[in-house]
Amino acid sequence: MDERAELLRKEYDQRFRDKEDYRNGVWRVLCSEYFSQYISRSATLLDLGAGWGEFSRNIVAAKKYAMDLNKECGRRLEGISEFLHQDCSTTWPLKDGTLDVVFTSNFLEHLPDKKSVEATLDQAFRCLRKGGRIICMGPNIKHVPGAYWDFWDHFVPITEDSLAEVLRLKDFHIEKKIGRFLPYTMSDGFQPPLIGLSLYLRLPFVWSLLGKQFLVVGEKR
């Protein structure tokens, strides 16, 4: 795991270092103006594949966990989230039914294979309470078929339909499924003013033109 974790550290640093402030601003808007509708202020949540912790840092919740193989994640979220440094496809150190929300963004496609994705979803289902949610966002290979593979560590091709299907197989009820949500990237290249993101979130008809990431929300019933 140390070798894989070191590779992750280098990847995160290469991809995020010069964009850190803007990325944090993007997630501040996304959390306050969109994802907060799914997450109670009293919730216990897990940020799965937390990266540099932009979601955890900006979402309001009573108790936060952050899981990642990169130790830098734990350092950046010290005092904000309880860091779980582990492979997400192995047993999580949480009791059954202790989470209200599992959130993951641009992460599942980085797992080595579909077996690892399924094992991760099994853990999410076990740890969520009845009525708890899993919120998944990521690049939709239907809309970025070539660019999807421009990242060396993209392994599993995912669409909103394939993810919804496996969530149903894992006994989740699909609460929301959007094939086109956000643009493929919000921080590479041109960085539009954050007020533009706020406006974008209020205009779902624009998502069908610019959206290349899926959003799938599953509920444990």
Side-chain angles (χ1 to χ4, degrees), residues 135-153:
I135 303 170
C136 306
M137 187 173 75
N140 192 331
I141 197 168
K142 283 195 290 193
H143 306 309
V144 284
Y148 196 89
W149 303 111
D150 287 345
F151 292 92
W152 183 249
D153 56 344

mmCIF file with all atom_site columns, all heavy atoms in Angstrom, residues 135-153:
data_model
loop_
_atom_site.group_PDB
_atom_site.id
_atom_site.type_symbol
_atom_site.label_atom_id
_atom_site.label_alt_id
_atom_site.label_comp_id
_atom_site.label_asym_id
_atom_site.label_entity_id
_atom_site.label_seq_id
_atom_site.pdbx_PDB_ins_code
_atom_site.Cartn_x
_atom_site.Cartn_y
_atom_site.Cartn_z
_atom_site.occupancy
_atom_site.B_iso_or_equiv
_atom_site.pdbx_formal_charge
_atom_site.auth_seq_id
_atom_site.auth_comp_id
_atom_site.auth_asym_id
_atom_site.auth_atom_id
_atom_site.pdbx_PDB_model_num
ATOM 1   N N   . ILE A 1 135 ? -23.921 9.392  -2.206  1.00 0.00 ? 135 ILE A N   1
ATOM 2   C CA  . ILE A 1 135 ? -23.944 10.413 -3.244  1.00 0.00 ? 135 ILE A CA  1
ATOM 3   C C   . ILE A 1 135 ? -22.681 10.244 -4.076  1.00 0.00 ? 135 ILE A C   1
ATOM 4   O O   . ILE A 1 135 ? -21.568 10.362 -3.553  1.00 0.00 ? 135 ILE A O   1
ATOM 5   C CB  . ILE A 1 135 ? -23.993 11.825 -2.634  1.00 0.00 ? 135 ILE A CB  1
ATOM 6   C CG1 . ILE A 1 135 ? -25.206 11.969 -1.701  1.00 0.00 ? 135 ILE A CG1 1
ATOM 7   C CG2 . ILE A 1 135 ? -24.021 12.892 -3.727  1.00 0.00 ? 135 ILE A CG2 1
ATOM 8   C CD1 . ILE A 1 135 ? -25.181 13.254 -0.867  1.00 0.00 ? 135 ILE A CD1 1
ATOM 9   N N   . CYS A 1 136 ? -22.857 9.972  -5.362  1.00 0.00 ? 136 CYS A N   1
ATOM 10  C CA  . CYS A 1 136 ? -21.719 9.662  -6.235  1.00 0.00 ? 136 CYS A CA  1
ATOM 11  C C   . CYS A 1 136 ? -21.682 10.616 -7.426  1.00 0.00 ? 136 CYS A C   1
ATOM 12  O O   . CYS A 1 136 ? -22.667 10.739 -8.152  1.00 0.00 ? 136 CYS A O   1
ATOM 13  C CB  . CYS A 1 136 ? -21.812 8.236  -6.776  1.00 0.00 ? 136 CYS A CB  1
ATOM 14  S SG  . CYS A 1 136 ? -21.986 6.951  -5.516  1.00 0.00 ? 136 CYS A SG  1
ATOM 15  N N   . MET A 1 137 ? -20.548 11.243 -7.627  1.00 0.00 ? 137 MET A N   1
ATOM 16  C CA  . MET A 1 137 ? -20.346 12.096 -8.787  1.00 0.00 ? 137 MET A CA  1
ATOM 17  C C   . MET A 1 137 ? -19.063 11.661 -9.476  1.00 0.00 ? 137 MET A C   1
ATOM 18  O O   . MET A 1 137 ? -18.113 11.231 -8.819  1.00 0.00 ? 137 MET A O   1
ATOM 19  C CB  . MET A 1 137 ? -20.237 13.560 -8.359  1.00 0.00 ? 137 MET A CB  1
ATOM 20  C CG  . MET A 1 137 ? -20.205 14.544 -9.513  1.00 0.00 ? 137 MET A CG  1
ATOM 21  S SD  . MET A 1 137 ? -20.279 16.267 -8.954  1.00 0.00 ? 137 MET A SD  1
ATOM 22  C CE  . MET A 1 137 ? -18.615 16.503 -8.339  1.00 0.00 ? 137 MET A CE  1
ATOM 23  N N   . GLY A 1 138 ? -19.035 11.750 -10.811 1.00 0.00 ? 138 GLY A N   1
ATOM 24  C CA  . GLY A 1 138 ? -17.827 11.363 -11.516 1.00 0.00 ? 138 GLY A CA  1
ATOM 25  C C   . GLY A 1 138 ? -17.958 11.556 -13.010 1.00 0.00 ? 138 GLY A C   1
ATOM 26  O O   . GLY A 1 138 ? -19.052 11.806 -13.534 1.00 0.00 ? 138 GLY A O   1
ATOM 27  N N   . PRO A 1 139 ? -16.856 11.425 -13.737 1.00 0.00 ? 139 PRO A N   1
ATOM 28  C CA  . PRO A 1 139 ? -16.881 11.590 -15.186 1.00 0.00 ? 139 PRO A CA  1
ATOM 29  C C   . PRO A 1 139 ? -17.700 10.493 -15.854 1.00 0.00 ? 139 PRO A C   1
ATOM 30  O O   . PRO A 1 139 ? -17.562 9.313  -15.535 1.00 0.00 ? 139 PRO A O   1
ATOM 31  C CB  . PRO A 1 139 ? -15.405 11.504 -15.577 1.00 0.00 ? 139 PRO A CB  1
ATOM 32  C CG  . PRO A 1 139 ? -14.756 10.737 -14.473 1.00 0.00 ? 139 PRO A CG  1
ATOM 33  C CD  . PRO A 1 139 ? -15.509 11.109 -13.236 1.00 0.00 ? 139 PRO A CD  1
ATOM 34  N N   . ASN A 1 140 ? -18.556 10.897 -16.759 1.00 0.00 ? 140 ASN A N   1
ATOM 35  C CA  . ASN A 1 140 ? -19.436 9.964  -17.462 1.00 0.00 ? 140 ASN A CA  1
ATOM 36  C C   . ASN A 1 140 ? -18.783 9.577  -18.782 1.00 0.00 ? 140 ASN A C   1
ATOM 37  O O   . ASN A 1 140 ? -18.650 10.406 -19.680 1.00 0.00 ? 140 ASN A O   1
ATOM 38  C CB  . ASN A 1 140 ? -20.794 10.631 -17.714 1.00 0.00 ? 140 ASN A CB  1
ATOM 39  C CG  . ASN A 1 140 ? -21.840 9.660  -18.175 1.00 0.00 ? 140 ASN A CG  1
ATOM 40  O OD1 . ASN A 1 140 ? -21.532 8.651  -18.801 1.00 0.00 ? 140 ASN A OD1 1
ATOM 41  N ND2 . ASN A 1 140 ? -23.096 9.952  -17.869 1.00 0.00 ? 140 ASN A ND2 1
ATOM 42  N N   . ILE A 1 141 ? -18.376 8.327  -18.908 1.00 0.00 ? 141 ILE A N   1
ATOM 43  C CA  . ILE A 1 141 ? -17.624 7.918  -20.094 1.00 0.00 ? 141 ILE A CA  1
ATOM 44  C C   . ILE A 1 141 ? -18.445 8.054  -21.377 1.00 0.00 ? 141 ILE A C   1
ATOM 45  O O   . ILE A 1 141 ? -17.877 8.152  -22.470 1.00 0.00 ? 141 ILE A O   1
ATOM 46  C CB  . ILE A 1 141 ? -17.076 6.478  -19.939 1.00 0.00 ? 141 ILE A CB  1
ATOM 47  C CG1 . ILE A 1 141 ? -15.957 6.244  -20.968 1.00 0.00 ? 141 ILE A CG1 1
ATOM 48  C CG2 . ILE A 1 141 ? -18.202 5.450  -20.018 1.00 0.00 ? 141 ILE A CG2 1
ATOM 49  C CD1 . ILE A 1 141 ? -15.164 4.998  -20.739 1.00 0.00 ? 141 ILE A CD1 1
ATOM 50  N N   . LYS A 1 142 ? -19.764 8.131  -21.266 1.00 0.00 ? 142 LYS A N   1
ATOM 51  C CA  . LYS A 1 142 ? -20.592 8.368  -22.455 1.00 0.00 ? 142 LYS A CA  1
ATOM 52  C C   . LYS A 1 142 ? -20.325 9.739  -23.064 1.00 0.00 ? 142 LYS A C   1
ATOM 53  O O   . LYS A 1 142 ? -20.481 9.934  -24.269 1.00 0.00 ? 142 LYS A O   1
ATOM 54  C CB  . LYS A 1 142 ? -22.076 8.253  -22.093 1.00 0.00 ? 142 LYS A CB  1
ATOM 55  C CG  . LYS A 1 142 ? -22.569 6.841  -21.925 1.00 0.00 ? 142 LYS A CG  1
ATOM 56  C CD  . LYS A 1 142 ? -24.079 6.754  -21.922 1.00 0.00 ? 142 LYS A CD  1
ATOM 57  C CE  . LYS A 1 142 ? -24.692 7.343  -20.689 1.00 0.00 ? 142 LYS A CE  1
ATOM 58  N NZ  . LYS A 1 142 ? -26.132 6.975  -20.544 1.00 0.00 ? 142 LYS A NZ  1
ATOM 59  N N   . HIS A 1 143 ? -19.915 10.680 -22.229 1.00 0.00 ? 143 HIS A N   1
ATOM 60  C CA  . HIS A 1 143 ? -19.771 12.057 -22.680 1.00 0.00 ? 143 HIS A CA  1
ATOM 61  C C   . HIS A 1 143 ? -18.320 12.531 -22.751 1.00 0.00 ? 143 HIS A C   1
ATOM 62  O O   . HIS A 1 143 ? -18.057 13.618 -23.263 1.00 0.00 ? 143 HIS A O   1
ATOM 63  C CB  . HIS A 1 143 ? -20.585 12.978 -21.769 1.00 0.00 ? 143 HIS A CB  1
ATOM 64  C CG  . HIS A 1 143 ? -22.021 12.562 -21.647 1.00 0.00 ? 143 HIS A CG  1
ATOM 65  N ND1 . HIS A 1 143 ? -22.806 12.319 -22.755 1.00 0.00 ? 143 HIS A ND1 1
ATOM 66  C CD2 . HIS A 1 143 ? -22.796 12.308 -20.558 1.00 0.00 ? 143 HIS A CD2 1
ATOM 67  C CE1 . HIS A 1 143 ? -24.021 11.941 -22.357 1.00 0.00 ? 143 HIS A CE1 1
ATOM 68  N NE2 . HIS A 1 143 ? -24.035 11.936 -21.034 1.00 0.00 ? 143 HIS A NE2 1
ATOM 69  N N   . VAL A 1 144 ? -17.400 11.732 -22.231 1.00 0.00 ? 144 VAL A N   1
ATOM 70  C CA  . VAL A 1 144 ? -15.962 12.049 -22.372 1.00 0.00 ? 144 VAL A CA  1
ATOM 71  C C   . VAL A 1 144 ? -15.222 10.768 -22.772 1.00 0.00 ? 144 VAL A C   1
ATOM 72  O O   . VAL A 1 144 ? -14.293 10.335 -22.095 1.00 0.00 ? 144 VAL A O   1
ATOM 73  C CB  . VAL A 1 144 ? -15.363 12.638 -21.075 1.00 0.00 ? 144 VAL A CB  1
ATOM 74  C CG1 . VAL A 1 144 ? -15.771 14.073 -20.904 1.00 0.00 ? 144 VAL A CG1 1
ATOM 75  C CG2 . VAL A 1 144 ? -15.751 11.816 -19.851 1.00 0.00 ? 144 VAL A CG2 1
ATOM 76  N N   . PRO A 1 145 ? -15.625 10.139 -23.884 1.00 0.00 ? 145 PRO A N   1
ATOM 77  C CA  . PRO A 1 145 ? -15.106 8.801  -24.220 1.00 0.00 ? 145 PRO A CA  1
ATOM 78  C C   . PRO A 1 145 ? -13.605 8.733  -24.422 1.00 0.00 ? 145 PRO A C   1
ATOM 79  O O   . PRO A 1 145 ? -12.969 7.752  -24.048 1.00 0.00 ? 145 PRO A O   1
ATOM 80  C CB  . PRO A 1 145 ? -15.849 8.457  -25.517 1.00 0.00 ? 145 PRO A CB  1
ATOM 81  C CG  . PRO A 1 145 ? -16.261 9.771  -26.096 1.00 0.00 ? 145 PRO A CG  1
ATOM 82  C CD  . PRO A 1 145 ? -16.549 10.645 -24.905 1.00 0.00 ? 145 PRO A CD  1
ATOM 83  N N   . GLY A 1 146 ? -13.007 9.768  -25.006 1.00 0.00 ? 146 GLY A N   1
ATOM 84  C CA  . GLY A 1 146 ? -11.564 9.739  -25.210 1.00 0.00 ? 146 GLY A CA  1
ATOM 85  C C   . GLY A 1 146 ? -10.816 10.358 -24.050 1.00 0.00 ? 146 GLY A C   1
ATOM 86  O O   . GLY A 1 146 ? -9.866  9.784  -23.508 1.00 0.00 ? 146 GLY A O   1
ATOM 87  N N   . ALA A 1 147 ? -11.261 11.536 -23.630 1.00 0.00 ? 147 ALA A N   1
ATOM 88  C CA  . ALA A 1 147 ? -10.588 12.253 -22.543 1.00 0.00 ? 147 ALA A CA  1
ATOM 89  C C   . ALA A 1 147 ? -10.619 11.485 -21.232 1.00 0.00 ? 147 ALA A C   1
ATOM 90  O O   . ALA A 1 147 ? -9.785  11.711 -20.349 1.00 0.00 ? 147 ALA A O   1
ATOM 91  C CB  . ALA A 1 147 ? -11.241 13.627 -22.360 1.00 0.00 ? 147 ALA A CB  1
ATOM 92  N N   . TYR A 1 148 ? -11.568 10.562 -21.101 1.00 0.00 ? 148 TYR A N   1
ATOM 93  C CA  . TYR A 1 148 ? -11.668 9.737  -19.884 1.00 0.00 ? 148 TYR A CA  1
ATOM 94  C C   . TYR A 1 148 ? -10.348 9.053  -19.581 1.00 0.00 ? 148 TYR A C   1
ATOM 95  O O   . TYR A 1 148 ? -9.974  8.875  -18.428 1.00 0.00 ? 148 TYR A O   1
ATOM 96  C CB  . TYR A 1 148 ? -12.758 8.697  -20.098 1.00 0.00 ? 148 TYR A CB  1
ATOM 97  C CG  . TYR A 1 148 ? -13.280 8.007  -18.861 1.00 0.00 ? 148 TYR A CG  1
ATOM 98  C CD1 . TYR A 1 148 ? -14.346 8.557  -18.156 1.00 0.00 ? 148 TYR A CD1 1
ATOM 99  C CD2 . TYR A 1 148 ? -12.756 6.798  -18.417 1.00 0.00 ? 148 TYR A CD2 1
ATOM 100 C CE1 . TYR A 1 148 ? -14.869 7.921  -17.041 1.00 0.00 ? 148 TYR A CE1 1
ATOM 101 C CE2 . TYR A 1 148 ? -13.277 6.155  -17.306 1.00 0.00 ? 148 TYR A CE2 1
ATOM 102 C CZ  . TYR A 1 148 ? -14.326 6.725  -16.626 1.00 0.00 ? 148 TYR A CZ  1
ATOM 103 O OH  . TYR A 1 148 ? -14.831 6.091  -15.525 1.00 0.00 ? 148 TYR A OH  1
ATOM 104 N N   . TRP A 1 149 ? -9.646  8.652  -20.625 1.00 0.00 ? 149 TRP A N   1
ATOM 105 C CA  . TRP A 1 149 ? -8.421  7.863  -20.458 1.00 0.00 ? 149 TRP A CA  1
ATOM 106 C C   . TRP A 1 149 ? -7.171  8.727  -20.433 1.00 0.00 ? 149 TRP A C   1
ATOM 107 O O   . TRP A 1 149 ? -6.057  8.211  -20.434 1.00 0.00 ? 149 TRP A O   1
ATOM 108 C CB  . TRP A 1 149 ? -8.333  6.810  -21.563 1.00 0.00 ? 149 TRP A CB  1
ATOM 109 C CG  . TRP A 1 149 ? -9.527  5.915  -21.584 1.00 0.00 ? 149 TRP A CG  1
ATOM 110 C CD1 . TRP A 1 149 ? -10.502 5.856  -22.537 1.00 0.00 ? 149 TRP A CD1 1
ATOM 111 C CD2 . TRP A 1 149 ? -9.906  4.965  -20.580 1.00 0.00 ? 149 TRP A CD2 1
ATOM 112 N NE1 . TRP A 1 149 ? -11.454 4.932  -22.200 1.00 0.00 ? 149 TRP A NE1 1
ATOM 113 C CE2 . TRP A 1 149 ? -11.123 4.371  -21.002 1.00 0.00 ? 149 TRP A CE2 1
ATOM 114 C CE3 . TRP A 1 149 ? -9.341  4.563  -19.363 1.00 0.00 ? 149 TRP A CE3 1
ATOM 115 C CZ2 . TRP A 1 149 ? -11.776 3.390  -20.257 1.00 0.00 ? 149 TRP A CZ2 1
ATOM 116 C CZ3 . TRP A 1 149 ? -9.993  3.599  -18.618 1.00 0.00 ? 149 TRP A CZ3 1
ATOM 117 C CH2 . TRP A 1 149 ? -11.194 3.020  -19.062 1.00 0.00 ? 149 TRP A CH2 1
ATOM 118 N N   . ASP A 1 150 ? -7.331  10.044 -20.376 1.00 0.00 ? 150 ASP A N   1
ATOM 119 C CA  . ASP A 1 150 ? -6.174  10.928 -20.299 1.00 0.00 ? 150 ASP A CA  1
ATOM 120 C C   . ASP A 1 150 ? -5.540  10.933 -18.912 1.00 0.00 ? 150 ASP A C   1
ATOM 121 O O   . ASP A 1 150 ? -4.450  11.464 -18.738 1.00 0.00 ? 150 ASP A O   1
ATOM 122 C CB  . ASP A 1 150 ? -6.567  12.358 -20.678 1.00 0.00 ? 150 ASP A CB  1
ATOM 123 C CG  . ASP A 1 150 ? -6.812  12.515 -22.171 1.00 0.00 ? 150 ASP A CG  1
ATOM 124 O OD1 . ASP A 1 150 ? -6.410  11.613 -22.925 1.00 0.00 ? 150 ASP A OD1 1
ATOM 125 O OD2 . ASP A 1 150 ? -7.407  13.525 -22.572 1.00 0.00 ? 150 ASP A OD2 1
ATOM 126 N N   . PHE A 1 151 ? -6.248  10.380 -17.945 1.00 0.00 ? 151 PHE A N   1
ATOM 127 C CA  . PHE A 1 151 ? -5.696  10.221 -16.600 1.00 0.00 ? 151 PHE A CA  1
ATOM 128 C C   . PHE A 1 151 ? -5.163  8.797  -16.455 1.00 0.00 ? 151 PHE A C   1
ATOM 129 O O   . PHE A 1 151 ? -5.901  7.826  -16.666 1.00 0.00 ? 151 PHE A O   1
ATOM 130 C CB  . PHE A 1 151 ? -6.757  10.511 -15.534 1.00 0.00 ? 151 PHE A CB  1
ATOM 131 C CG  . PHE A 1 151 ? -7.168  11.958 -15.497 1.00 0.00 ? 151 PHE A CG  1
ATOM 132 C CD1 . PHE A 1 151 ? -8.245  12.416 -16.238 1.00 0.00 ? 151 PHE A CD1 1
ATOM 133 C CD2 . PHE A 1 151 ? -6.462  12.879 -14.733 1.00 0.00 ? 151 PHE A CD2 1
ATOM 134 C CE1 . PHE A 1 151 ? -8.617  13.751 -16.215 1.00 0.00 ? 151 PHE A CE1 1
ATOM 135 C CE2 . PHE A 1 151 ? -6.820  14.216 -14.698 1.00 0.00 ? 151 PHE A CE2 1
ATOM 136 C CZ  . PHE A 1 151 ? -7.906  14.649 -15.444 1.00 0.00 ? 151 PHE A CZ  1
ATOM 137 N N   . TRP A 1 152 ? -3.921  8.672  -16.085 1.00 0.00 ? 152 TRP A N   1
ATOM 138 C CA  . TRP A 1 152 ? -3.254  7.382  -16.020 1.00 0.00 ? 152 TRP A CA  1
ATOM 139 C C   . TRP A 1 152 ? -3.953  6.415  -15.068 1.00 0.00 ? 152 TRP A C   1
ATOM 140 O O   . TRP A 1 152 ? -3.956  5.200  -15.267 1.00 0.00 ? 152 TRP A O   1
ATOM 141 C CB  . TRP A 1 152 ? -1.797  7.569  -15.580 1.00 0.00 ? 152 TRP A CB  1
ATOM 142 C CG  . TRP A 1 152 ? -1.009  6.305  -15.543 1.00 0.00 ? 152 TRP A CG  1
ATOM 143 C CD1 . TRP A 1 152 ? -0.525  5.657  -14.436 1.00 0.00 ? 152 TRP A CD1 1
ATOM 144 C CD2 . TRP A 1 152 ? -0.618  5.506  -16.667 1.00 0.00 ? 152 TRP A CD2 1
ATOM 145 N NE1 . TRP A 1 152 ? 0.142   4.518  -14.795 1.00 0.00 ? 152 TRP A NE1 1
ATOM 146 C CE2 . TRP A 1 152 ? 0.103   4.398  -16.169 1.00 0.00 ? 152 TRP A CE2 1
ATOM 147 C CE3 . TRP A 1 152 ? -0.811  5.611  -18.052 1.00 0.00 ? 152 TRP A CE3 1
ATOM 148 C CZ2 . TRP A 1 152 ? 0.628   3.413  -17.005 1.00 0.00 ? 152 TRP A CZ2 1
ATOM 149 C CZ3 . TRP A 1 152 ? -0.277  4.637  -18.873 1.00 0.00 ? 152 TRP A CZ3 1
ATOM 150 C CH2 . TRP A 1 152 ? 0.431   3.563  -18.346 1.00 0.00 ? 152 TRP A CH2 1
ATOM 151 N N   . ASP A 1 153 ? -4.560  6.958  -14.010 1.00 0.00 ? 153 ASP A N   1
ATOM 152 C CA  . ASP A 1 153 ? -5.163  6.107  -12.986 1.00 0.00 ? 153 ASP A CA  1
ATOM 153 C C   . ASP A 1 153 ? -6.679  5.986  -13.126 1.00 0.00 ? 153 ASP A C   1
ATOM 154 O O   . ASP A 1 153 ? -7.377  5.694  -12.159 1.00 0.00 ? 153 ASP A O   1
ATOM 155 C CB  . ASP A 1 153 ? -4.802  6.615  -11.586 1.00 0.00 ? 153 ASP A CB  1
ATOM 156 C CG  . ASP A 1 153 ? -5.199  8.060  -11.361 1.00 0.00 ? 153 ASP A CG  1
ATOM 157 O OD1 . ASP A 1 153 ? -5.480  8.773  -12.349 1.00 0.00 ? 153 ASP A OD1 1
ATOM 158 O OD2 . ASP A 1 153 ? -5.231  8.491  -10.190 1.00 0.00 ? 153 ASP A OD2 1
#
